[in-house]
Amino acid sequence: TFYLMVSSLDFRCWRRSPVVFAIYSSFIVLLLTNASVGGFQSQRSFVSPAPARTHLDSASQGGLESTTKFKCTTDATAKEVNQRRIMLQQIAKIVTLPTAAATIIYPPALAAATDTTTTIARTITDSSVVLNNDGSRVQVPLEYIQALDAYVVHYYLFGERFGAIVDTGSPFLTCPSTCSAWSYKYKWGCYHPERTFDSGLSNTIEGFDNNQGKVVWRKAGFSFDEDLQPQQNLTFGVFGPDLLDGPGGVFFGLIKDTDKWIRPSFLGQTGYKSFCVDLRDNSTLTLSKQAMILGDDYIPLTRDLNRRYKAPVVHYIAKAAGFIVNGLPLKLDVRTPTYVIFDTGLSGMAVSDELYQGRNLQARKNREKSLWGEVKVSFQTKAGDEVELSARKPITTPLGQDTPWTKFKGNLIVLGLAFLDGTSMSIDIDDNKLQLKK
């Protein structure tokens, strides 16, 4: 839209008429400002490569306000979480912009003028990293980036500082193949291949969201803080432009267990057995080589998608006890399971086609104004209590027919930041336990 408008105008007319010039200039600045926010729902194709960004039915309904049942512990916590949710709402309101407008690459000077990534984000320094004496536990600060609608963790590869989206839905440590401060919505870091060495692994084609592209597998020294933590040589994936464009980005994967033919996961290489993604007041990521969950106040996880349906990675999945939309329970087929994937790399929610179509029929029958107005998903803990996650007007997409598991016929729900923001999620990977706290 921007290109056609500019190229079709006679610039001599602008000089003769300052009013016309002012009107068109204002329109262009507004368009680019909206484009720089980039209203995409971020997700990778380890769940499904199918969802299209033009199919966001609930985008026009409002935002992604997360409203879990838990109560905020302090006023400061509530204020900061509300700020993030306001940003999520603003992003959702412009999510229906044409893809071409949302992926405009603008020059460095204009990018600096329209940059919105620091609106809420706190300044993160390496001194914020906390490491215990024996190195078995590390706590790293997270940074909420408005333009990405995601939380970013910072780390070092071959001495260069990188940022990546904290992602419980993918397994890999990654970095960009570029070194650009303005081509994308966030400066991920600068790749220097001469500082890396051969991993012994061939290149692969990977799919993240609707993007597919080549990934080069290299090795280099990794650490969260070069002064506190000794470097460890790890295998990581280098993303090309195909995986960085549009809704793409750089991901810090927290799935540990994968099939043998999958490239090495970050957690599989580092030996961490549990982690906590705390998205409350001072957002942090904690990695531990010991279990973090005590007692029976946890949600049991299942590995059925990997063991029974041949999913290539072991997602963090629990069985849903209930699924309620706009106060109406959606009937779940008792003959098939309803699995829920917890995915911090997703901004809203994705559901299997059967659930999506069932909800459409239900809304039309009841003449509801909002398709995905108030969504509640409940789980049963080992102790027998019920835990509920909820979100107001989450961006929701169908998973599509082409899921990675052809034999799976059950219901599948993927919950993203709209449900998890403002909560603390701990996972003991080997023990298959998940705990939610506020």
Side-chain angles (χ1 to χ4, degrees):
T1 304
F2 170 67
Y3 172 77
L4 291 176
M5 182 179 67
V6 173
S7 62
S8 63
L9 292 175
D10 187 342
F11 283 84
R12 292 173 296 176
C13 177
W14 288 18
R15 291 197 297 269
R16 297 193 193 104
S17 178
V19 175
V20 174
F21 176 78
I23 292 174
Y24 275 99
S25 298
S26 300
F27 181 81
I28 292 170
V29 171
L30 178 62
L31 177 64
L32 289 176
T33 302
N34 284 341
S36 68
V37 179
F40 293 104
Q41 179 176 196
S42 171
Q43 67 182 33
R44 295 116 356 270
S45 67
F46 278 101
V47 175
S48 168
R53 285 298 162 264
T54 56
H55 201 146
L56 302 182
D57 297 78
S58 60
S60 60
Q61 299 171 4
L64 301 175
E65 183 178 4
S66 174
T67 55
T68 58
K69 291 181 81 174
F70 305 110
K71 295 181 179 179
C72 293
T73 55
T74 65
D75 292 338
T77 301
K79 183 177 180 181
E80 182 166 343
V81 171
N82 285 336
Q83 280 185 312
R84 293 197 295 259
R85 292 171 183 167
I86 290 172
M87 290 301 103
L88 291 173
Q89 285 182 320
Q90 291 176 348
I91 291 171
K93 288 177 182 177
I94 66 166
V95 76
T96 53
L97 282 173
T99 303
T103 57
I104 291 174
I105 296 178
Y106 25 88
L110 185 55
T114 59
D115 181 26
T116 58
T117 60
T118 57
T119 302
I120 300 177
R122 295 181 299 275
T123 300
I124 301 299
T125 62
D126 296 338
S127 61
S128 303
V129 176
V130 179
L131 185 71
N132 68 350
N133 292 332
D134 60 3
S136 63
R137 187 183 181 108
V138 60
Q139 185 180 81
V140 187
L142 300 180
E143 186 177 13
Y144 177 74
I145 303 298
Q146 173 192 337
L148 299 174
D149 184 15
Y151 287 87
V152 168
V153 62
H154 297 279
Y155 54 91
Y156 286 88
L157 279 171
F158 49 83
E160 180 74 20
R161 195 168 191 256
F162 288 90
I165 296 171
V166 175
D167 185 15
T168 58
S170 67
F172 307 127
L173 173 66
T174 65
C175 80
S177 62
T178 60
C179 187
S180 174
W182 57 269
S183 294
Y184 303 102
K185 293 176 284 185
Y186 180 74
K187 183 178 179 180
W188 306 106
C190 289
Y191 177 56
H192 298 282
E194 70 277 7
R195 301 184 193 173
T196 69
F197 54 95
D198 185 21
S199 67
L201 299 170
S202 60
N203 302 339
T204 58
I205 300 296
E206 303 289 345
F208 286 73
D209 191 26
N210 290 326
N211 297 345
Q212 283 192 345
K214 184 176 74 172
V215 178
V216 178
W217 299 96
R218 303 292 293 173
K219 265 195 171 183
F222 168 91
S223 69
F224 287 111
D225 187 323
E226 292 188 312
D227 296 328
L228 288 178
Q229 192 178 34
Q231 287 192 352
Q232 181 179 357
N233 286 331
L234 299 181
T235 298
F236 63 96
V238 183
F239 284 6
D242 290 341
L243 291 172
L244 296 172
D245 287 336
V250 178
F251 297 97
F252 188 88
L254 291 175
I255 287 181
K256 178 182 178 181
D257 297 325
T258 68
D259 286 349
K260 293 181 179 180
W261 58 272
I262 298 292
R263 294 296 183 258
S265 68
F266 168 75
L267 292 181
Q269 296 180 84
T270 52
Y272 292 113
K273 297 181 178 179
S274 61
F275 65 85
C276 175
V277 180
D278 190 341
L279 304 182
R280 296 176 292 185
D281 184 18
N282 296 315
S283 305
T284 59
L285 168 65
T286 302
L287 303 173
S288 177
K289 295 182 179 180
Q290 287 85 35
M292 301 176 67
I293 299 174
L294 303 176
D296 292 335
D297 184 25
Y298 66 87
I299 300 170
L301 297 177
T302 177
R303 299 188 173 215
D304 283 356
L305 283 186
N306 175 258
R307 292 175 176 172
R308 297 177 58 184
Y309 302 107
K310 308 306 179 184
V313 301
V314 180
H315 287 281
Y316 302 118
I317 302 171
K319 292 183 178 180
F323 185 52
I324 300 174
V325 182
N326 295 347
L328 300 173
L330 201 60
K331 292 183 179 180
L332 305 177
D333 192 339
V334 295
R335 297 169 297 177
T336 58
T338 299
Y339 293 133
V340 176
I341 296 176
F342 300 85
D343 188 348
T344 59
L346 180 74
S347 57
M349 176 175 69
V351 299
S352 53
D353 273 17
E354 185 177 348
L355 281 179
Y356 196 90
Q357 297 303 326
R359 173 59 195 145
N360 271 322
L361 292 173
Q362 185 184 58
R364 286 199 297 267
K365 180 180 179 181
N366 297 323
R367 297 182 178 179
E368 299 176 44
K369 295 181 179 180
S370 177
L371 183 59
W372 303 96
E374 185 76 19
V375 182
K376 299 178 180 179
V377 186
S378 59
F379 310 89
Q380 191 169 34
T381 67
K382 183 68 174 179
D385 300 321
E386 187 174 279
V387 176
E388 183 181 275
L389 289 175
S390 64
R392 184 175 176 270
K393 296 182 179 179
I395 297 176
T396 304
T397 56
L399 284 172
Q401 299 292 338
D402 298 326
T403 62
W405 322 295
T406 54
K407 296 182 180 180
F408 177 66
K409 302 300 180 183
N411 303 307
L412 192 61
I413 304 169
V414 187
L415 300 183
L417 284 183
F419 296 84
L420 300 174
D421 192 26
T423 70
S424 172
M425 180 175 68
S426 299
I427 295 180
D428 284 351
I429 301 169
D430 295 342
D431 296 332
N432 298 312
K433 298 178 180 180
L434 181 146
Q435 187 177 64
L436 298 170
K437 288 185 178 181
K438 183 66 180 185

